Amino acid sequence: MSHAEPTDLPMEFEDKAHEALVSTWWTGTLLKKAFRRFFRKAVGSEAQFNVLMVLQAAEEAGEDLNQNDLSNRLMIDKSNVTGLIDRMEDQDLVRRNTVPGDRRSYHITLTPQGRELVQQVQGPYIEKVHQAMSEFTADEQEELTRLTSKLRERLTELI
Amino acid sequence: MSHAEPTDLPMEFEDKAHEALVSTWWTGTLLKKAFRRFFRKAVGSEAQFNVLMVLQAAEEAGEDLNQNDLSNRLMIDKSNVTGLIDRMEDQDLVRRNTVPGDRRSYHITLTPQGRELVQQVQGPYIEKVHQAMSEFTADEQEELTRLTSKLRERLTELI
DNA sequence: GAAGATTGATTAGTCAATCTTT
DNA sequence: AAAGATTGACTAATCAATCTTC
């Protein structure tokens, strides 16, 4: 009894709009699952991977990010950032740097180990991404980006 | 500093495959956020909403689901189902029914209150779905479903 | 031994309340 | 008062280990 394949949606649909939304939703869920093990092994978790990527991009752009900035970019609660950075500091991946002139705030930066880890992980990560997208034509890739971005625009109004 | 809109992806992309994957991922994340408050108010949480929907569909199909079945359909760990059903039992939304002939297992069914809640919530839920999808043409809806389903197929092989 | 379910540990996420600094 | 960060309570999710029943 109940032998639904993970590819299947958990329901049947007559409503095409509903189906498109649930299909996108479910794909997001599946994406997290498919990459979870990889992130877990490589850097601890998806959340920590995202922090590393954003910090690296900021570093290249010459920006300083505090915890609020991370909270905004990653769309996670600032209270969540506290624990995340705690755990990453314990692993010597990032550092809280005092900010001259504002004792409320910390600039979060990569440690050498954190920078090293980002470099190591990037290759295998991109390879996995390409495995996932291997059946897509260039047009399909662009169309998927366009449609999901369009949905995102609408969703930000509803939040 | 750092004024990324939620619609924006947290990085820039040259790699189209990568962009499509992250765009889908991010949209899934945003979908959860956009519906979170609604689910929270209406039925406690997204996870509990999903349980209610699956149970209702099973009821209509005349199927009996145990916790393992729920674990499979909802793609969540069975240990997770235990706590979820605990909390929903506390709220009198579902019931654990002993299964004649197998004392290891429970059939999970909706209580009258659970059934009632599903009925009440369905209308506002679908309305919110249509708000989210309001800018999409019928063709775009179908294409979004097709592309995300295609990605899902590939992902199940990678899990 | 395998199946169904539970428990405990860990990470993540939200929310409300709080604390310090501005 | 507002900004930046933290704390505590809660839900959710996974994983490994365990327990009972098959």
Side-chain angles (χ1 to χ4, degrees):
Chain A
M1 190 159 307
S2 176
H3 47 282
E5 288 298 316
T7 307
D8 297 338
L9 300 179
M11 310 186 262
E12 301 288 330
F13 293 91
E14 295 158 24
D15 184 332
K16 294 292 187 187
H18 190 197
E19 182 174 26
L21 186 139
V22 173
S23 183
T24 306
W25 191 309
W26 212 241
T27 306
T29 302
L30 207 53
L31 268 171
K32 284 186 188 293
K33 284 189 196 303
F35 279 80
R36 185 178 202 280
R37 198 168 293 234
F38 173 79
F39 287 140
R40 199 181 151 75
K41 273 199 178 175
V43 298
S45 70
E46 177 196 337
Q48 295 187 28
F49 176 81
N50 288 335
V51 170
L52 290 175
M53 298 302 272
V54 166
L55 287 180
Q56 195 211 28
E59 194 171 87
E60 281 176 9
E63 287 178 303
D64 278 323
L65 302 186
N66 63 19
Q67 297 188 184
N68 256 323
D69 297 328
L70 285 174
S71 166
N72 292 330
R73 296 227 179 163
L74 299 170
M75 280 201 289
I76 57 181
D77 196 272
K78 58 188 169 148
S79 68
N80 195 9
V81 174
T82 299
L84 207 42
I85 298 301
D86 282 349
R87 286 186 293 274
M88 295 180 77
E89 252 190 335
D90 288 344
Q91 297 171 269
D92 263 323
L93 297 176
V94 302
R95 233 175 79 80
R96 282 182 169 91
N97 305 280
T98 56
V99 176
D102 191 345
R103 282 191 296 183
R104 292 171 306 175
S105 184
Y106 302 110
H107 284 165
I108 311 300
T109 55
L110 292 171
T111 62
Q113 291 96 313
R115 210 169 287 121
E116 167 87 11
L117 184 56
V118 172
Q119 297 300 330
Q120 280 178 10
V121 156
Q122 219 131 27
Y125 165 69
I126 287 296
E127 186 173 344
K128 209 165 157 57
V129 167
H130 284 160
Q131 278 174 24
M133 299 298 299
S134 62
E135 300 291 325
F136 282 71
T137 67
D139 281 351
E140 285 179 327
Q141 288 171 9
E142 289 194 21
E143 188 65 359
L144 181 55
T145 300
R146 186 182 76 81
L147 292 171
T148 49
S149 299
K150 179 170 183 168
L151 178 53
R152 242 179 5 260
E153 272 178 48
R154 194 77 185 87
L155 287 172
T156 52
E157 298 168 18
L158 294 180
I159 268 178
Chain B
M1 188 161 304
S2 179
H3 47 283
E5 287 298 316
T7 307
D8 296 340
L9 299 179
M11 310 187 262
E12 301 289 330
F13 294 91
E14 294 158 24
D15 184 332
K16 294 292 186 185
H18 191 197
E19 181 174 29
L21 187 139
V22 172
S23 183
T24 306
W25 190 310
W26 213 241
T27 306
T29 301
L30 207 52
L31 267 172
K32 283 185 189 294
K33 283 189 196 304
F35 279 80
R36 185 177 201 281
R37 199 169 292 235
F38 173 79
F39 286 140
R40 198 180 152 75
K41 275 199 178 177
V43 299
S45 71
E46 176 195 337
Q48 295 188 26
F49 177 80
N50 289 336
V51 170
L52 291 175
M53 298 302 272
V54 167
L55 287 181
Q56 194 212 28
E59 193 171 89
E60 281 175 11
E63 288 177 304
D64 278 324
L65 302 186
N66 63 19
Q67 297 189 183
N68 255 323
D69 297 327
L70 285 174
S71 166
N72 292 330
R73 296 228 179 161
L74 299 171
M75 278 200 290
I76 57 181
D77 196 90
K78 58 189 169 146
S79 67
N80 195 8
V81 174
T82 298
L84 208 41
I85 299 300
D86 282 349
R87 287 186 293 274
M88 295 180 76
E89 252 191 335
D90 289 344
Q91 297 172 267
D92 262 322
L93 296 176
V94 301
R95 232 174 81 78
R96 282 182 168 93
N97 305 280
T98 58
V99 176
D102 192 344
R103 281 190 298 184
R104 292 171 305 177
S105 184
Y106 302 110
H107 285 165
I108 310 299
T109 54
L110 293 172
T111 61
Q113 292 95 312
R115 212 169 288 122
E116 167 85 13
L117 183 57
V118 173
Q119 297 302 331
Q120 281 177 10
V121 155
Q122 220 132 27
Y125 165 68
I126 288 295
E127 185 172 348
K128 211 166 156 57
V129 168
H130 285 161
Q131 279 174 24
M133 299 299 297
S134 62
E135 300 292 325
F136 282 71
T137 67
D139 280 353
E140 284 178 327
Q141 287 170 13
E142 288 193 21
E143 189 66 358
L144 182 55
T145 299
R146 185 182 78 80
L147 292 171
T148 49
S149 299
K150 179 170 184 168
L151 178 52
R152 238 173 15 254
E153 271 178 49
R154 195 77 186 86
L155 288 173
T156 53
E157 297 167 18
L158 294 180
I159 269 180

